[in-house]
Amino acid sequence: MEIFIQNIGLTVLFPLWCSVLIFLGNFLSILKSKKIILSLTLLSTTFGLITSLFTFFNAMVTENFVLENTFKFLSVNNFILELGTYIDLTSSFMLLIIFTVTLAVQIYSYSYMYNDASFSRFFALMNFFTFSMSALVLSPNLFQIYICWELVGVSSYLLISFWFHKNAASNAGKKAFVMNRIGDMCLLAGIILSSIIIYNYSGQTDFADIPFSSIDKIAAYLFTYTSEPIFIIICVLLILGSIAKSAQFPLHTWLPDAMEGPTPVSALIHSATMVAAGVFLIARLFPIYYQSSFVMNFIVIIGIISALIGAFCAITCRDIKRILAYSTSSQLGIMFIALGSGALTASMLYLATHAFIKSMLFLCAGLIMSLYLGKTDIDNFGGLKKHMSLIAYIFLIGAFSLSGILFSGFASKSLVFHHLFETHSYYIILSLLVISFMTAFYIFRMYFLVFEGNSHTSDNKKYSHVMVVPILFLCVITLLLGFFLPKMSTLKYELIPVTTELVAILLAYLFYVKFVNMLPKLPILYNLSYNKLYIDNFYDFITQKLYLGICKTANFIDDYIFDGTVFVTVFLTKLNAWLNSKFQTGSVQSYISYSFAILALVLTGFCLVYSLVAYFAEV
Amino acid sequence: MEYLSLNLLIFSPLIIAILFFLPIFNTKEVFIRRFTKTFMGVHFVYALCFWIFYNPDVNFFDELFLFGQSGVQSLGIRSAFAIDGLSLVMVTLTSFLFFMSAISSKTIIRHRQKLYYGLLLLLETSVLGVFTSSDIFIFFCFWELELIPMYFLISLWGSGRAQKSAMKFLLYTFFGSLFLLLGILLLSYYSDTLNFQMSSLFADINVVDKLPINIQILISILLMIGFFVKLPIIPLHTWLPNAHCDAPAPISILLAGLLLKMGAYGFIRFNILLLPDAFKILAPFLIVFAVINIIHAGLCAYNQDDIKKIIAYSSISNMGIVLLGLCTNNEEGVTGGIVHMVSHGLICAGLFMIVGIIYNRTKTRDIKAISGLGTVMPNLMGFTVMFSFAAIGVPLLIGFVGEFLTFWGAFSVQYDSYIFLPTVIIFAIFVLVISAAYMFKFVHRIFFGSIDNSWAILKDLTAHEFIVLSSILSVIVFFGINPMSLIDVINPIVEVIVESAGI
Amino acid sequence: MNSTYDILNIFIPSVILLITIAVHTVLSLLKNNINYYKISKWISFSGLILSLISVFDVQFEPIYFAFSDAIVSNTYTIFIQSVILVSAIICVLLTKKIIASRRNNAFTFHIIFLSAVLASMILVSVNDYLTMFISMELLSIACFFLISFNKGYISKEASLKYIFTNIIASSVFLLGVSYLYGITSSVNFSEINEFYMQHTAEWMYTISILFIASGLLFKLAVFPFANWILDIYEGSSTSVAAFLSVIPKVAVLGLLCRLLVFNFSYSFEFPLILLIFASITAIWSNLIAIRQRNIKRLLAASSSANASYMLFAASLVSVYNISTVIFYLITYVLMNLGVFSAVILLENSAFSNKLYEFKNFAYTNPLFCFAFLVSLLGLAGIPLTSGFIAKIYLLSAIAKSGLIFMPFLLVLVIAMVIAMFYYVRIAKLMFEKDETKDEKFVIYKTESASIILYLCAIFTIIIGIIPDKIIEICKIIAYNI
């Protein structure tokens, strides 16, 4: 057990080696067998899972468990950046979630991707993602967070546009990367600014890379050595990084598009792990944000807006995966709300339960899609309960859990509500109720449309049972996890949200099973929701028109002003040369007369200047 | 270490080139090609030995002389060469990129090979001479000498409007270098002897200390015009897109990888180390120029339809980062600037190589005409994606180290009297998004999406191209994971720079 | 007082040339000299060689004055004279074609040729304006005949143009001399010097020396007297053009440097006027040159430009500047004669003077092309050639003269950028492949012109790499002006 904990760095490195091995093996055509690839991957993931389990239990048992191992990566002057591992309760907890979900998804994707030509590329990238994600949660300092932040972004991008020959996947990947890059830019700016303040002003040169082991001190220094606006700017920049990664408003539009990637990717990266990194970062830097109430409120407001927008868009969405994507964005918003209102533990637990629930739902969706040859529109589905009752029940469990009525979802959500009620933040509770209502509504809408009703196709669908195993595994966790969570809620804190959600389910039942359709009567709202609040259109305008316009202007300046000057110079030179050569008439008379004219000119000028000088000298 | 001769390192390419041009050396072109390749490989290993045995504490390579201790003594010129950390890095990079360029020439250069390889070797000597000369006059001599082989390489083996672009390159850079000459002449005018005394680049120059500050600034600006044409800094950059576009791929590698670095190198040697007082005054303005460079060129790159122009503008933008780093006046920023010089040299070389391969296959450089090449050229796509990541500064690749340190240095710049600077510098970090935008526009348009039928027959990388790309990439990854191996070498010179120019 | 022997000593080179002229005259009187016209070249050659050898026998110091101070002889003049002799030797070797086309006048040609050389030699060492006028006229008339030696209408027209413009220039010169005589009542350099030691210069003095200088500027083809040069180079045969581009220039610049140091140095405005003239010429002639498609016309413009560069340094009078001018002169002679011998070689191999004819040379005649390239790039000022060193040296001299001359330096720099364009264009043309011309070019390699080409190229490179000795010599010479 000690050995595992001491060598936790290997959990990070094994996936990397796996990734490199698979890449090179594929490149040099040595490693062809899919079974070997899978077993390599599973080996490293299982090792990671075991290690993280041990570590987690150790961290649970030991009070203030901290273990840090670092080495120097970059040092200039006294400015030293270190890489390594840093384990405390939060990181071991995150690590456990990551490896659990990863294991499930990797088993699932073996059969999901079995027939794909780029099987090995997929597994190499998945392993690379595991590496970067686990390195992210094990970061000893903010600097390593940034490195891994970029790396998970890269692997996410590569996996979204995994089927690069599809235009949609290609565009989605580009969009995801560029949007994430905006966040990264802000994060980097934030990191650099805080690092500079620590390094240059507080005199604590050791803390230049913002180590988490002394985050409390750093928070104090940052707050002391900056003015209020600067402090807020730094915090907002750092939070913007989280916002982009966690698909929060206003940088959330990449997540629905990211569903163009293979479903296991959506299940692992875009629901459970990578998108949670934003929440993880806020949790890590909580002592800093906690210094300013403005910053905390900012986080809450971002969370509320994103949760509302995500839930609102999910209601009318037709794409089976995009509904889940909007839901993810919305749920992450709830975590932001919890963080912003100070419920650190609650939000981390919410993150865990959501990870399992959402990846399970995604895996179910992937299974359904694989039966329908990759169709995603929920209108194509219907009555699937007859064909795959097991999946339907699992999905139902997920739906109940997600909406927070039963199981682990209920437990974690009630923790959040508990905290909010305790702190009397009633406007947050109100908005959270609205969000819960919408959540229950859209997830059951999805359930009813897909599994209930009439079957649209009569084919007997068969699915691989290997794919069901990980789903079941995740389902079991979802069912059982709730019992491990701390219970502290009273009945009144549970009753209100559950009632709201049950009403929402009833409404969904009426709408989509009994077809008491009211939505067309609200065309404005419907259009708003269906068109994602026109945010995508707005961004399209910005990228397609505004940015391109700026670029065109820059290019115009370049071509016609900078290069134009050169061109004009050359042209003038040539013109001058032409004019001069006109004097080469070939007739000696003209030559002599030019010479004389110029000589006379010089003389006149000379005499003029001379007499003027003489005149003024006299005066 | 006594076995390592700097003269041999610098002049051996020239000797080989002369051998090629001699009429007795009348062999087949295949032999010439293979010979050049082998020679450059050996040369690279030799240069690597310098790196390995380099010890900043012991000045083993200080001030080696070509013709004994002499030079043109009547003019006060010493034909002296020396190596310090900065030179060492640039020399090794030069040797490496020339090796790569020679390997990659095989598929692209099909005719007049003897002349081609001869000029390539001549170019190598002149570039090496610029990076190692310790006398101002010798520096300028090599600086000028580089123009002629480059001109012929572009104009004779280029494509498109190669003739015009080559002439534009020649006249533009010649124009710049004459300003450099004016600066040097003024410097010699103020030197203590009546002679045509050219001072050493390495030794501290007492003469300069005596100069009145306005003269220093004048000289500094004149020198800067020369360097900024090469670097290039807006608005002196317009030769670059044309020259890069129309040059053959191996030459584009050298243009982007080395010739631009000559500007930065000269800037460090002259403007920072030689004229630190003037530099201190000018630095805030230069930072503004650098930021404009970064943003403007990045925006221009996005709007290009010519794939080579995208990369060309991206290298202009990157040179802005280098300048920004050098002007920060703190150790982190200057280290960042120099590391970025190296990293951009490697990355841009790779990218130009890729673009050259695409052009060689498709015979078009129009981004709209090509799509979905990834289906038939997966390996090339893999390399392109990796190089793009390096170019936009993804961590664990060398591009990140330079960018990060530069931004760190730039953000902590302290010029008290210039309130506007922080606001300007903030804009520099937008390059992270801007570069991602143009790089991925390039990658996605070319490789992603559905493939056109006319491109379905294209072949993936050949062995030569594969070797070149993978070796450049491995260097990028090596330094990205282990940046200290580079930083340790340049650290002494960085300390000197900051000491002389620091506030 | 000098003994007769000393005077003879000074004049031995000239006397040898006179004897050679006499030999030619006698030979030209022989009836059927057509048959042995070939020896004419070698007679001149040996005469010039002998003359050159005898120069080394001349005692350098102290300064000698002869013919009642009309002629002066010192290290400087003797050095310039030997430069003239060396260039004359080279030029003689280039005259094969013109002599072959005018066999019956071969000896006459050499008489005129040697007279021109003699006139240049005397011109360098004159010490009063009358002797100067005489030697200048002798040079002009000889040049006139040389130009007209070519066959065809264009040559006759060129020679007439030359003589007309020259007459005008001479009369302006004489006007200037008469002014000066009016002021100082002397035409002797030394006496005028002494006069101005005691008197301050009037503005009339400036005008008179401006007029005097006009005569010299005409020979140098400097604005405003530069128009003639293109037509005349085109009209004359290439070997004569080579001669015109070198020998009168060396002689006139040599004299001008002396005049600027001793006689023109009392006027404050005069150097400024010269500088302005030089800058206009630098720009003008380079601009003209980029439009030329005929290599001879191009070289004419280029020689005018080079003269203006030297004028830049010369007009900012200092010993240091004079040394740079001398160094530039030497390198210029080498490079220019290299280029001209290449052109002559091409002409002899039945190519026209059009630039586009140069295509493919790099592949058919690599060695020839390389030598030609060296000379061209030397003129353009590329490192490793003497032209580069010369240009830097010259520019440094101007820079050292003071900050107020920065604008002129800038003009010079811009002129050099323009010059780069046309030199490199010629070089590039040689590397261009023209598929339509498939016949194998043959350039006669056995000719003396080819030897000169290679020698010039080799020396251009050697001086470019190790200019030390030459610069030392130039400095010594300049100190002894």
Side-chain angles (χ1 to χ4, degrees), chain B residues 13-22 25:
Chain B
L14 181 68
I15 294 163
I16 304 283
I18 291 171
L19 273 182
F20 281 1
F21 289 131
L22 284 184
F25 204 74

Side-chain angles (χ1 to χ4, degrees), chain A residues 184-215:
Chain A
D184 295 351
M185 175 184 81
C186 298
L187 179 64
L188 184 64
I191 291 174
I192 289 177
L193 282 177
S194 47
S195 168
I196 284 168
I197 285 157
I198 297 292
Y199 182 82
N200 280 346
Y201 295 101
S202 79
Q204 301 289 327
T205 46
D206 298 350
F207 293 162
D209 50 0
I210 323 279
F212 295 133
S213 48
S214 37
I215 192 76

Side-chain angles (χ1 to χ4, degrees), chain B residues 385-431:
Chain B
V385 170
M386 284 305 282
F387 276 109
S388 314
F389 283 148
I392 62 177
V394 167
L396 299 194
L397 299 169
I398 191 178
F400 166 73
V401 182
E403 257 181 35
F404 175 80
L405 284 174
T406 302
F407 289 140
W408 204 97
F411 274 51
S412 61
V413 153
Q414 294 161 335
Y415 290 106
D416 294 332
S417 47
Y418 297 97
I419 300 299
F420 63 95
L421 268 188
T423 338
V424 173
I425 290 170
I426 287 291
F427 278 101
I429 207 160
F430 280 107
V431 76

Side-chain angles (χ1 to χ4, degrees), chain B residues 201-439:
Chain B
L201 280 174
F202 281 78
D204 53 337
I205 295 179
N206 302 321
V207 187
V208 176
D209 296 340
K210 292 180 216 147
L211 289 188
I213 188 69
N214 49 353
I215 296 294
Q216 271 202 48
I217 290 174
L218 176 69
I219 295 174
S220 199
I221 287 173
L222 283 174
L223 294 172
M224 249 180 239
I225 292 174
F227 296 133
F228 284 180
V229 165
K230 211 46 157 230
L231 197 55
I233 294 299
I234 286 167
L236 300 170
H237 67 290
T238 56
W239 61 272
L240 187 136
N242 301 43
H244 276 62
C245 267
D246 298 333
I251 303 309
S252 295
I253 291 177
L254 300 177
L255 257 178
L258 296 170
L259 295 206
L260 308 190
K261 308 303 167 299
M262 280 165 50
Y265 178 85
F267 182 76
I268 294 171
R269 282 264 183 256
F270 283 80
N271 287 78
I272 302 181
L273 287 175
L274 217 56
L275 301 160
D277 296 334
F279 173 70
K280 267 178 233 167
I281 292 169
L282 292 173
F285 303 101
L286 294 180
I287 286 179
V288 177
F289 267 102
V291 174
I292 291 173
N293 213 41
I294 293 170
I295 301 299
H296 177 88
L299 292 174
C300 285
Y302 189 79
N303 196 35
Q304 300 304 321
D305 283 337
D306 187 323
I307 50 179
K308 269 192 158 182
K309 273 196 176 171
I310 296 178
I311 312 297
Y313 274 106
S314 92
S315 70
I316 300 177
S317 175
N318 276 296
M319 286 299 105
I321 296 177
V322 172
L323 185 64
L324 179 63
L326 295 179
C327 290
T328 53
N329 260 355
N330 51 41
E331 225 168 282
E332 293 81 11
V334 175
T335 311
I338 297 174
V339 170
H340 201 76
M341 267 163 79
V342 178
S343 83
H344 173 259
L346 292 165
I347 294 163
C348 226
L351 284 171
F352 270 114
M353 178 76 207
I354 286 164
V355 171
I357 291 168
I358 295 168
Y359 178 65
N360 199 25
R361 302 278 201 284
T362 60
K363 300 293 172 218
T364 176
R365 293 194 310 241
D366 191 352
I367 198 167
K368 287 173 185 154
I370 314 170
S371 70
L373 291 189
T375 321
V376 286
M377 306 165 101
N379 290 350
L380 182 61
M381 177 177 72
F383 277 118
T384 315
V385 170
M386 284 305 282
F387 276 109
S388 314
F389 283 148
I392 62 177
V394 167
L396 299 194
L397 299 169
I398 191 178
F400 166 73
V401 182
E403 257 181 35
F404 175 80
L405 284 174
T406 302
F407 289 140
W408 204 97
F411 274 51
S412 61
V413 153
Q414 294 161 335
Y415 290 106
D416 294 332
S417 47
Y418 297 97
I419 300 299
F420 63 95
L421 268 188
T423 338
V424 173
I425 290 170
I426 287 291
F427 278 101
I429 207 160
F430 280 107
V431 76
L432 288 181
V433 178
I434 291 173
S435 64
Y438 64 69
M439 253 2 265

Side-chain angles (χ1 to χ4, degrees), chain A residues 27 73-75 79 81 150 154 157 164-165 167 170 177 181 195-196 199 548 551 554-555 558 562-563, chain B residues 168 235 237-238 296 299 302-304 313 332 379 381 392 395 408 411 432 440 444 449-450 466 481 484 487:
Chain A
F27 218 53
F73 173 68
L74 193 68
S75 84
F79 176 70
L81 299 179
E150 289 270 278
V154 162
Y157 156 77
F164 58 83
H165 46 82
N167 282 329
S170 154
F177 194 85
R181 195 78 179 162
S195 168
I196 284 168
Y199 182 82
L548 204 64
C551 290
N555 208 13
D558 211 65
F562 295 144
D563 207 21
Chain B
K168 191 173 178 184
H237 67 290
T238 56
H296 177 88
L299 292 174
Y302 189 79
N303 196 35
Q304 300 304 321
Y313 274 106
E332 293 81 11
N379 290 350
M381 177 177 72
I392 62 177
W408 204 97
F411 274 51
L432 288 181
F440 284 105
H444 282 253
S450 51
F466 186 82
I481 294 171
M484 283 317 287
I487 290 173

Side-chain angles (χ1 to χ4, degrees), chain C residues 364-423:
Chain C
T364 52
N365 298 287
L367 203 61
F368 163 80
C369 168
F370 178 71
F372 192 13
L373 203 65
V374 167
S375 301
L376 274 176
L377 294 183
L379 282 174
I382 297 297
L384 297 190
T385 62
S386 55
F388 176 71
I389 304 276
K391 232 156 232 174
I392 302 274
Y393 197 29
L394 197 81
L395 287 175
S396 82
I398 299 168
K400 273 181 200 302
S401 304
L403 271 188
I404 54 158
F405 298 113
M406 278 301 282
F408 293 107
L409 212 54
L410 207 65
V411 169
L412 200 52
V413 161
I414 289 167
M416 281 173 182
V417 176
I418 303 171
M420 186 78 165
F421 171 73
Y422 57 80
Y423 289 127

Side-chain angles (χ1 to χ4, degrees), chain A residues 573-574 576-578 580-581 583-588 590-592 594-596 598-599 602-603 606-607 610, chain C residues 157 161 164-165 168 172 203 206-207 211 214 223-225 227-228 230-231 269 277 284 287-288 290-291:
Chain A
T573 314
K574 282 185 173 165
N576 223 327
W578 176 79
N580 273 341
S581 65
F583 285 100
Q584 291 302 116
T585 50
S587 76
V588 68
S590 59
Y591 292 169
I592 293 169
Y594 296 146
S595 306
F596 265 110
I598 287 156
L599 197 62
V602 171
L603 276 179
F606 177 72
C607 294
Y610 211 92
Chain C
E157 188 190 334
K161 276 179 191 166
F164 280 139
T165 36
I168 302 295
V172 174
W203 63 284
T206 311
I207 290 178
F211 281 180
S214 300
F223 177 88
F225 308 100
N227 278 318
W228 55 274
L230 274 74
D231 293 345
E269 303 88 355
F277 279 175
W284 175 85
L287 282 177
I288 289 284
I290 61 175
R291 281 187 64 82

